[in-house]
Amino acid sequence: MGVFDGKRPILYLLWFALSCLTRVAVASNGAQLNDKELNVLQKRFDSYYSNDTQISVQGITLGGWLVTEPYITPSLYHKAINMVSQYNSTYHNMSQIVDEYTLCQELGYDKAKDLLSEHFDTWITESDFKQIKDDGFNLVRIPIGYWAWKLDHEENLYVGNATYEDPYVGEGLQLHYLNRALEWASKYELNVWIDLHGAPGSQNGFDNSGQRNFYNKLGWLSDMDTKVLTLNVWGAMFDEYLNGGNSSNPIVGIEVMNEPLVPKLNIWDVTQVYYEGFDMFKEKQRKGDNTTFIIHDAFQSIGHWNMELNPHFKNVSNRHFNLTNVSYSAQSVLVDHHHYEVFTDSQLQESQFSRIMNIINFGDSINKELQYHPAVVGEWSGAITDCATWVNGVNIGARYDGSYYNTTAFETSQPPSGNCTSNQPIDQWSDEYKIAVRQFVEAQLATYSAKTTGWIFWNWKTENAPEWDYLQLKEAGLFPVPFDNYTYFSTDGSGSIDSDFSSSLSTLAYPTSSGSRTTSSTAAKKGVASSFRKINLQDTELRALSGYWKMVLYLFPVCISLVVVLL
Ligand SMILES: *[C@@H]1O[C@H](CO)[C@@H](O)[C@H](O)[C@H]1NC(C)=O
Ligand SMILES: *[C@@H]1O[C@H](CO)[C@@H](O)[C@H](O)[C@H]1NC(C)=O
Ligand SMILES: *[C@@H]1O[C@H](CO)[C@@H](O)[C@H](O)[C@H]1NC(C)=O
Ligand SMILES: *[C@@H]1O[C@H](CO)[C@@H](O)[C@H](O)[C@H]1NC(C)=O
Ligand SMILES: *[C@@H]1O[C@H](CO)[C@@H](O)[C@H](O)[C@H]1NC(C)=O
Ligand SMILES: *[C@@H]1O[C@H](CO)[C@@H](O)[C@H](O)[C@H]1NC(C)=O
Ligand SMILES: *[C@@H]1O[C@H](CO)[C@@H](O)[C@H](O)[C@H]1NC(C)=O
Ligand SMILES: *[C@@H]1O[C@H](CO)[C@@H](O)[C@H](O)[C@H]1NC(C)=O
Ligand SMILES: *[C@@H]1O[C@H](CO)[C@@H](O)[C@H](O)[C@H]1NC(C)=O
Ligand SMILES: *[C@@H]1O[C@H](CO)[C@@H](O)[C@H](O)[C@H]1NC(C)=O
Ligand SMILES: *[C@@H]1O[C@H](CO)[C@@H](O)[C@H](O)[C@H]1NC(C)=O
Ligand SMILES: CC(=O)N[C@H]1CO[C@H](CO)[C@@H](O)[C@@H]1O
C-alpha cells in the first residue's frame, strides 16, 4: 500500500476538470450523494452490467503477513517495544521502532526471529485460505520481502553469492510459510500472485517496503549492490516458481517490484531493471508455462507502459534492452495499478460524487490500456480518509485532521478536512460515513470488474484499521456479499433511475462513448471461447475448476481475447 497515490498528472487533470464540471452541474458538495447524483451514477453503472461472462481477477492481498506493517498489526510492534524495554531500561520511546527493519535492528536477530515466527504462524492460517475461497475470491496476492532470500545472517550472505548487510530475519523463514501458503492455495483452488514488496535499500521509503524513509534518497538502484541483489532474488524466484514447479504450484503471476516510487527513483533506471528482469524471466521460463510477468506502474500515468515490454513497439524497448531473441506477446506482461483516494489533501476534500466519478474515469482510462497489456487494479480499499492509526507510519498522524503535518516535516496550506472518526471501530461510525464507504466499495467493484482485467482488494484483514480490512467491512455489511450484490448501484435495473435527465447530466453520465463494451460483448465471448479452446489446460487442472469463467480466469492471458476484440 502506498502512502501516497503517486503522480498521475493526467488523472489529476482529468479529475480536476471533471470535479469542476460536476460541481457546477450537480449542486452538491457533500459527503452524501443526493438523489440526482445517485441517478447519474446508477445510469453510468447500468452501462457496465450486461450478460457478459464476467472475466476478471477478484483478488485479495495478504498484506502485513510475510512483510509486516505497523498499521496492520500494531500489536506486533507494541510487543517489540515491550521486549526491547525489558532488556534496555533506557529504551522507552517508540520512535526507534517504526518498520520491520528497525524492529529487527532493535531486537537483534534471534529475538526478532522468535517474534516474527510467532506472527507468521498465527496471522494467516489454512482457515484464512478456506474462507478466501468460500467468499468467492479467485486469487491471492502474497507480498514478500527480498530478505526472505538471505542465506546466512552472520555472513550477510544472499542467494547468488551476493553479500548485503541488513538486520532483517531471513534464512528461508518466510519461504517456509510461503510454501505452506502455496499448498493451501492449491488445496482450495486459489491462484496466487507473488509480489516482491520490499527491495534492498527500499524502493519507495514507505514502511511497507520494510524500511521507512520519508526524507532521504532511496537506496534501491542507487548502487550496483542493490541492483545485483535484486536480480539475484528475481533469479531465485523465477527458478523456484516458474514452470509449474510441481503439479501443485498455483502461481499465475510474479510481480517483480511493488510500488517503485518514481520520481524519487529514476524512471529510466526502473524501466531498465524491469527489462533485465523480464529477459531473465523469459530465459528461465520454459515453453508452455503461462506465468505472467507483472510490473507495477511505478506511479506513472495510465498508458505509460503501453509500448514498453511490448513486442509491437521494438523502437521503445530497444532504448533499454534488445529483446530480439526473446519470444513473447504483449499479453505476457501485466500492468498493476494501485488506487487510493486518501493520500493527498485534494483527494480528501472531494465530495462523494467526485470521488466516485474519479473511480469511473480511472476505470475508463485503464480500459483503453487493455489493447496493449492486461491491467489489474492490484490495490484499492474502502478508505475515504487516511485516519486509520499509523496508516501513514508509526506515530504519524492523518492529513484528514491535519495531524500528519504536525508529525512530519511536510507542510500544507489547506485547512484540515475534518475530524477523524474512522480510526474507531465501525460500530462507532456515523450512518452517513458507513453509507459513503459502502458506496465507494461498490463503485470500485463495479468499475474494476467491468473495465479492467480485475481487482485485488487491500487488505484481507487488519487489527484495527477497518477501512482497509475486508473481513471487518464484510462483517459490518460494508462490502457486498457476493461481490456484485450492490445496495446502491443495483445491477437489475431496480436502481432509482430517472430517465428524464437534463442533457448536461446525461453528458456527465456518459463522458466517453459508452459503446465499446456493449457492442463487443458477443464478440468478446467468442474471443474468449476461441482463445480458451487454444489453451489446453491440463486435465488435472480442468477437473479442479468448476465454472466456465473460473477456467478462463485461471489464466491471465485471458485478456488476449478481450484485446483481440478491442482491436
Ligand atoms: C440477461 O439475459 C437474460 C436471459 O437471456 C435476460 O432475461 C436478462 O434481462 C439479461 N440481463 C441483462 C442485464 O441484460
Ligand atoms: C538502549 O536504548 C538506547 C536508547 O534507545 C540506545 O541508545 C542503546 O544503544 C540501547 N542499548 C542497548 C544495549 O541496546
Ligand atoms: C523519542 O525520541 C525522538 C528522537 O529519537 C525524540 O525526537 C522524541 O522527542 C522522543 N519522544 C519521547 C516521548 O521521549
Ligand atoms: C562467493 O563470493 C566470494 C567472495 O565474495 C568468493 O570468495 C567465492 O568464491 C564465491 N563463491 C562462489 C561459489 O562463487
Ligand atoms: C511443490 O511445490 C510447493 C510449493 O513450492 C511445495 O510446498 C511442495 O513441497 C512441493 N511438492 C513437492 C512434492 O515437491
Ligand atoms: C515507436 O513507434 C510508435 C509507432 O509505431 C510511435 O507511436 C512511438 O512514438 C515510437 N516511440 C519512440 C520512442 O520512437
Ligand atoms: C540473438 O541470438 C543470435 C544467435 O544465437 C546471436 O548471434 C545474437 O547476438 C543474439 N542477439 C541478442 C541481441 O542477444
Ligand atoms: C497541529 O498543530 C497545530 C499548531 O500547533 C494545532 O493547533 C493543532 O491542534 C494540531 N492538530 C492536531 C490534529 O494535532
Ligand atoms: C472538529 O471538531 C471540533 C470540535 O467539535 C470543531 O470545532 C471543528 O470545527 C471540527 N473540525 C472540522 C474540520 O470539522
Ligand atoms: C445480498 O445482500 C443482502 C443484504 O444487503 C442480503 O440480504 C442478500 O441475502 C444478499 N444476496 C445474496 C444472494 O446473498
Ligand atoms: C499455457 O497456455 C498454452 C496456450 O496458450 C497451453 O497450450 C498450455 O497448456 C498452457 N500451459 C499450462 C501449464 O497451463
Ligand atoms: C539497448 C540496445 O543495445 N539497443 C539496441 C538494440 O538494437 C537496435 C537495432 O536493432 C539498436 O538501435 C539499439 O541501440
Side-chain angles (χ1 to χ4, degrees):
M1 201 236 358
V3 174
F4 98 12
D5 191 28
K7 313 261 177 199
R8 296 200 176 93
I10 293 176
L11 261 188
Y12 282 131
L13 211 73
L14 235 167
W15 164 82
F16 181 73
L18 234 135
S19 58
C20 292
L21 274 175
T22 53
R23 281 193 181 122
V24 174
V26 185
S28 156
N29 199 7
Q32 271 185 307
L33 296 175
N34 63 33
D35 287 350
K36 271 191 173 174
E37 291 171 329
L38 257 175
N39 283 339
V40 169
L41 294 171
Q42 177 67 55
K43 235 177 171 174
R44 189 56 192 265
F45 288 125
D46 274 339
S47 73
Y48 290 180
Y49 312 135
S50 68
N51 270 340
D52 272 357
T53 314
Q54 288 287 308
I55 305 148
S56 67
V57 171
Q58 299 181 320
I60 189 78
T61 304
L62 300 180
W65 186 37
L66 301 179
V67 177
T68 66
E69 295 194 29
Y71 93 99
I72 295 179
T73 56
S75 70
L76 181 76
Y77 280 76
H78 286 297
K79 257 187 223 162
I81 309 286
N82 289 340
M83 280 167 75
V84 176
S85 16
Q86 266 165 31
Y87 63 83
N88 183 344
S89 55
T90 64
Y91 189 98
H92 35 237
N93 180 335
M94 297 208 53
S95 65
Q96 275 111 346
I97 294 186
V98 298
D99 52 27
E100 190 164 330
Y101 188 99
T102 47
L103 182 147
C104 295
Q105 194 169 43
E106 293 293 329
L107 285 179
Y109 198 89
D110 295 334
K111 288 197 182 68
K113 185 175 177 180
D114 289 346
L115 184 63
L116 289 170
S117 303
E118 189 198 354
H119 167 71
F120 298 153
D121 250 332
T122 52
W123 182 245
I124 296 292
T125 63
E126 180 172 347
S127 63
D128 291 294
F129 278 79
K130 182 177 186 310
Q131 197 176 346
I132 287 169
K133 178 64 178 184
D134 289 347
D135 283 13
F137 294 100
N138 54 36
L139 181 139
V140 181
R141 177 168 177 256
I142 307 182
I144 191 162
Y146 77 91
W147 50 92
W149 284 271
K150 179 190 277 191
L151 300 179
D152 182 331
H153 78 277
E154 278 165 2
E155 307 281 332
N156 297 313
L157 184 66
Y158 268 88
V159 284
N161 203 28
T163 303
Y164 191 82
E165 198 177 335
D166 63 44
Y168 288 119
V169 170
E171 298 178 333
L173 185 64
Q174 293 86 350
L175 298 180
H176 165 76
Y177 289 94
L178 175 60
N179 285 338
R180 265 184 19 183
L182 295 178
E183 280 168 18
W184 294 331
S186 299
K187 181 170 172 186
Y188 296 103
E189 294 164 24
L190 286 161
N191 301 300
V192 172
W193 151 341
I194 293 182
D195 151 38
L196 192 64
H197 216 73
S202 180
Q203 75 279 24
N204 51 35
F206 307 148
D207 59 9
N208 57 60
S209 71
Q211 210 175 350
R212 168 169 134 185
N213 173 1
F214 287 154
Y215 310 117
N216 300 317
K217 197 172 172 331
L218 299 175
W220 192 51
L221 304 181
S222 68
D223 57 31
M224 272 317 280
D225 284 359
T226 58
K227 181 163 175 177
V228 166
L229 178 54
T230 302
L231 289 165
N232 286 358
V233 167
W234 288 349
M237 292 175 88
F238 302 158
D239 284 339
E240 181 70 18
Y241 301 121
L242 284 180
N243 307 314
N246 58 44
S247 60
S248 68
N249 183 329
I251 294 169
V252 294
I254 299 176
E255 180 163 34
V256 290
M257 192 55 64
N258 179 64
E259 297 190 348
L261 181 54
V262 176
K264 276 190 93 177
L265 299 170
N266 181 309
I267 183 64
W268 194 266
D269 295 344
V270 173
T271 313
Q272 179 67 31
V273 80
Y274 275 175
Y275 272 95
E276 290 174 37
F278 183 64
D279 184 56
M280 191 201 304
F281 181 93
K282 295 310 285 185
E283 205 167 90
K284 291 181 186 289
Q285 184 173 42
R286 289 198 294 271
K287 209 169 186 307
D289 179 66
N290 297 318
T291 312
T292 302
F293 185 83
I294 302 167
I295 58 170
H296 179 264
D297 64 18
F299 300 101
Q300 300 307 288
S301 51
I302 303 296
H304 172 91
W305 299 97
N306 287 356
M307 295 183 212
E308 301 285 2
L309 295 162
N310 186 331
H312 306 305
F313 299 96
K314 292 227 160 79
N315 63 332
V316 174
S317 26
N318 276 345
R319 296 185 301 173
H320 292 277
F321 206 90
N322 272 339
L323 293 166
T324 337
N325 293 345
V326 179
S327 152
Y328 68 108
S329 76
Q331 275 60 51
S332 311
V333 177
L334 183 143
V335 181
D336 176 23
H337 301 291
H338 296 174
H339 193 78
Y340 297 110
E341 292 268 327
V342 299
F343 292 125
T344 66
D345 288 335
S346 55
Q347 286 179 318
L348 290 166
Q349 281 161 9
E350 280 173 48
S351 70
Q352 175 76 344
F353 182 73
S354 57
R355 183 182 292 124
I356 290 175
M357 284 309 292
N358 200 14
I359 296 301
I360 289 173
N361 291 314
F362 182 61
D364 281 342
S365 60
I366 294 179
N367 194 252
K368 295 194 181 77
E369 197 176 76
L370 297 182
Q371 57 189 303
Y372 297 93
H373 292 295
V376 159
V377 181
E379 285 191 21
W380 58 282
S381 77
I384 55 175
T385 73
D386 65 338
C387 288
T389 306
W390 289 1
V391 72
N392 295 309
V394 173
N395 291 346
I396 305 292
R399 292 171 190 80
Y400 189 75
D401 67 0
S403 52
Y404 180 80
Y405 302 101
N406 292 13
T407 48
T408 63
F410 301 116
E411 289 173 355
T412 184
S413 55
Q414 302 287 321
S417 303
N419 292 309
C420 279
T421 51
S422 58
N423 47 342
Q424 303 300 319
I426 296 180
D427 59 17
Q428 290 173 40
W429 295 1
S430 68
D431 286 344
E432 186 186 67
Y433 198 88
K434 286 185 198 165
I435 290 168
V437 168
R438 166 96 190 197
Q439 286 171 342
F440 185 50
V441 168
E442 288 187 10
Q444 292 176 94
L445 286 168
T447 304
Y448 302 156
S449 299
K451 296 287 181 174
T452 77
T453 311
W455 50 263
I456 306 176
F457 187 78
W458 183 280
N459 188 37
W460 173 240
K461 62 176 185 168
T462 71
E463 283 173 349
N464 60 12
E467 287 176 287
W468 307 83
D469 182 326
Y470 164 77
L471 286 176
Q472 286 189 45
L473 289 171
K474 184 189 74 168
E475 184 67 24
L478 304 186
F479 204 107
V481 181
F483 302 139
D484 61 353
N485 185 11
Y486 306 135
T487 300
Y488 294 97
F489 305 119
S490 68
T491 54
D492 60 1
S494 71
S496 48
I497 300 180
D498 179 348
S499 52
D500 260 350
F501 261 10
S502 80
S503 56
S504 70
L505 288 179
S506 310
T507 314
L508 256 184
Y510 299 97
T512 59
S513 114
S514 62
S516 72
R517 187 172 170 90
T518 20
T519 53
S520 67
S521 65
T522 337
K525 270 187 210 154
K526 255 189 221 148
V528 170
S530 56
S531 87
F532 180 69
R533 271 196 298 278
K534 275 185 256 151
I535 299 166
N536 291 311
L537 273 176
Q538 285 157 10
D539 283 354
T540 49
E541 284 168 336
L542 269 176
R543 275 198 298 275
L545 297 158
S546 35
Y548 164 77
W549 63 273
K550 280 184 203 141
M551 288 191 276
V552 178
L553 269 167
Y554 193 80
L555 302 165
F556 272 91
V558 73
C559 349
I560 295 168
S561 46
L562 267 182
V563 167
V564 166
V565 168
L566 288 169
L567 283 171

